[in-house]
């Protein structure tokens, strides 16, 4: 399975990514993990990214794209992967299309976790209190959610047009949300098996 997991901050992507990757035996790849690994290993890309991060600037697409391409070229991704947090922009969608085309593979599904904004704000405020993040105020959180909606709305529409998008209600107990996602993906896996059968 080659999957993308999308969803606003606080929708529980990280939690669900871990379960899904285990269920389908594919690596869960988050851009945050890729960045940290490259910075820790002082790779050329990591050093370049660190320069932007230290300046409080957005890491350019070309660096992020190169890191993702390197990660997807690793052996454990040969049988599939779950990308969490990438792509975030139409330019990154185009780049991912190119990376997959070069490997002669395609995406099986894009899961979009959806949740009510006020519920997400409550969740993120609670998380900020637990983690002692005083700068995560309600206006800051609402702004992050607005930016997410503006950036990823076009991506969801693009993947929907390709008949890859599965919208899943991200609210409720973790295991219930997991069950909803697995129901969708099991159906996708069955369809893929049916179409690849001789």
């Amino acid at each position: 399975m080659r999957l993308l997991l999308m969803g606003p901050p606080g929708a529980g992507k990280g939690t669900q990514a871990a379960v899904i990757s285990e269920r389908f035996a594919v690596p869960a790849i988050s851009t945050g993990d890729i960045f940290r690994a490259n910075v820790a290993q002082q790779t050329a890309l990591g050093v370049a990214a660190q320069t932007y991060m230290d300046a409080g600037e957005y890491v350019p697409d070309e660096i992020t794209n190169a890191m993702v391409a390197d990660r997807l070229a690793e052996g454990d991704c040969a049988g599939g992967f779950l990308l969490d947090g990438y792509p975030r922009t139409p330019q990154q969608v185009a780049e991912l299309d190119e990376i997959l085309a070069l490997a002669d593979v395609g995406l099986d599904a894009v899961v979009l976790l959806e949740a009510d904004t006020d519920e997400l704000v409550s969740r993120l405020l609670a998380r900020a209190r637990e983690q002692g993040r005083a700068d995560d105020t309600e206006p800051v959180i609402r702004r992050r959610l607005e930016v997410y909606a503006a950036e990823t709305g076009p991506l969801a529409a693009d993947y929907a047009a390709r008949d890859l998008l599965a919208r899943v209600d991200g609210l409720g107990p973790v295991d219930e949300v997991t069950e909803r996602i697995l129901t969708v993906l099991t159906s996708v896996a069955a369809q893929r098996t049916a179409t690849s059968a001789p």
Side-chain angles (χ1 to χ4, degrees):
M1 292 286 271
R2 292 176 181 85
L3 309 166
L4 297 187
L5 183 60
M6 296 170 58
K13 291 190 302 298
T15 304
Q16 296 301 336
V19 178
I20 297 164
S21 72
E22 190 174 319
R23 169 71 174 75
F24 291 100
V26 294
I29 301 168
S30 85
T31 39
D33 290 345
I34 297 174
F35 270 76
R36 282 186 287 277
N38 274 274
V39 169
Q41 293 160 20
Q42 289 288 288
T43 65
L45 290 170
V47 171
Q50 186 77 58
T51 307
Y52 288 96
M53 292 190 289
D54 287 348
E57 293 176 20
Y58 179 74
V59 177
D61 271 0
E62 58 265 26
I63 294 177
T64 306
N65 293 338
M67 285 186 186
V68 171
D70 284 354
R71 180 65 185 89
L72 292 181
E74 290 180 22
D76 63 340
C77 294
F81 55 78
L82 168 65
L83 269 175
D84 163 18
Y86 180 96
R88 285 180 189 267
T89 64
Q91 293 80 7
Q92 289 179 356
V93 169
E95 183 67 24
L96 180 61
D97 285 345
E98 207 166 292
I99 293 168
L100 296 178
L102 286 170
D104 199 25
V105 296
L107 290 172
D108 291 302
V110 177
V111 175
L112 174 60
L113 286 179
E114 298 184 308
D116 174 72
T117 300
D118 289 337
E119 177 66 31
L120 290 173
V121 170
S122 299
R123 248 188 224 189
L124 291 167
L125 283 172
R127 186 190 295 176
R129 282 193 297 275
E130 285 165 19
Q131 298 175 354
R133 290 171 15 191
D135 51 345
D136 267 8
T137 59
E138 183 167 337
V140 168
I141 289 169
R142 286 192 181 275
R143 177 66 190 140
R144 273 170 53 207
L145 291 169
E146 282 170 14
V147 169
Y148 164 82
E151 282 184 351
T152 56
L155 276 58
D158 183 353
Y159 286 124
R162 301 188 205 185
D163 203 23
L164 286 171
L165 192 72
R167 297 177 182 274
V168 175
D169 181 0
L171 294 180
V174 170
D175 54 350
E176 281 184 20
V177 176
T178 302
E179 201 51 49
R180 289 176 207 144
I181 295 172
L182 292 179
T183 299
V184 166
L185 294 181
T186 303
S187 165
V188 168
Q191 284 171 3
R192 192 183 63 172
T193 305
T195 55
S196 62

